[in-house]
Amino acid sequence: MKKQKTEQDAYLTLAALCAQAEHCQWEMTEKMRRWELSDEAQARVMERLTRERYVDDERYARAFVNDKVRYNKWGRRKVEQALWAKHIDEDIRQRVLDEVTDEEYLRVLRPLLQQKRRTTKAPDEYTLNRKLVQFALSHGFTFDIIRQCLDVEDDIDETDALPTADD
């Protein structure tokens, strides 16, 4: 039989977890719910974790957005959806997402599309662009950012679209 976690055990476990990496309130509450801690105990533990700055949803959201855009190459929509799934407040989500500039999304998406362009087979430019748009949309990028990348890419990298002796 599984031993019930006490309120103090829950606090110590969660504080140690938060000291290692950023976590949001919802994640901590879900852990306590799985441990079958009472609602009152959960509220006290969360209040203490928040007061002692182990848990800060805005700080979490900032780190999450930074990681997902920079390392996972996600667009705004995909990041926003993930934050929503983690129950981050709307005002925090919008404020943190608004801190990421269009230029940052363009810096992420351009090389992604250039790489995809090289590996995508299409009978014509229209079909190729349609496939690239679909790829970028699936990564959560907005259409205006995608369009900017494709317009610039069409101007700059015309040679990538031309057949080579290897083709």
Side-chain angles (χ1 to χ4, degrees), residues 47-68:
E47 193 277 323
R48 186 171 172 194
L49 288 170
T50 305
R51 185 183 63 236
E52 294 175 5
R53 307 251 319 133
Y54 281 109
V55 174
D56 180 336
D57 277 357
E58 188 161 343
R59 188 179 65 214
Y60 169 82
R62 227 172 239 111
F64 185 88
V65 168
N66 184 43
D67 286 355
K68 295 304 177 191

Side-chain angles (χ1 to χ4, degrees), residues 6-160:
T6 66
E7 189 173 327
Q8 183 63 13
D9 289 341
Y11 167 76
L12 292 172
T13 302
L14 296 177
L17 201 59
C18 291
Q20 295 170 9
E22 290 292 343
H23 292 280
C24 64
Q25 288 185 28
W26 179 78
E27 291 171 336
M28 300 296 95
T29 304
E30 280 300 295
K31 285 190 180 302
M32 289 186 284
R33 186 186 59 72
R34 284 195 303 271
W35 295 333
E36 298 174 357
L37 232 58
S38 72
D39 289 347
E40 298 78 25
Q42 287 181 34
R44 286 191 297 272
V45 170
M46 274 314 304
E47 193 277 323
R48 186 171 172 194
L49 288 170
T50 305
R51 185 183 63 236
E52 294 175 5
R53 307 251 319 133
Y54 281 109
V55 174
D56 180 336
D57 277 357
E58 188 161 343
R59 188 179 65 214
Y60 169 82
R62 227 172 239 111
F64 185 88
V65 168
N66 184 43
D67 286 355
K68 295 304 177 191
V69 170
R70 207 170 265 150
Y71 303 114
N72 294 49
K73 313 243 184 277
W74 286 9
R76 182 184 174 104
R77 286 200 174 122
K78 191 167 183 175
V79 174
E80 189 172 19
Q81 199 171 32
L83 288 172
W84 176 85
K86 294 199 177 269
H87 301 264
I88 303 297
D89 285 341
E90 172 76 15
D91 61 321
I92 292 174
R93 280 196 321 257
Q94 293 312 313
R95 188 168 51 249
V96 171
L97 284 165
D98 288 346
E99 290 172 5
V100 181
T101 64
D102 284 356
E103 287 72 34
E104 289 177 74
Y105 288 120
L106 289 168
R107 260 195 308 276
V108 168
L109 184 57
R110 275 195 186 110
L112 212 55
L113 285 176
Q114 287 170 346
Q115 182 180 10
K116 187 68 174 173
R117 179 180 287 270
R118 285 191 287 274
T119 61
T120 302
K121 301 278 185 242
D124 54 52
E125 191 66 22
Y126 174 79
T127 306
L128 177 61
N129 279 336
R130 188 177 51 76
K131 287 181 176 185
L132 292 174
V133 166
Q134 189 60 45
F135 171 78
L137 286 171
S138 74
H139 279 74
F141 290 93
T142 57
F143 194 74
D144 60 317
I145 297 292
I146 297 167
R147 190 71 246 155
Q148 288 178 54
C149 284
L150 291 177
D151 288 346
V152 169
E153 201 170 84
D154 289 345
D155 294 340
I156 294 172
D157 294 322
E158 284 280 300
T159 55
D160 285 356

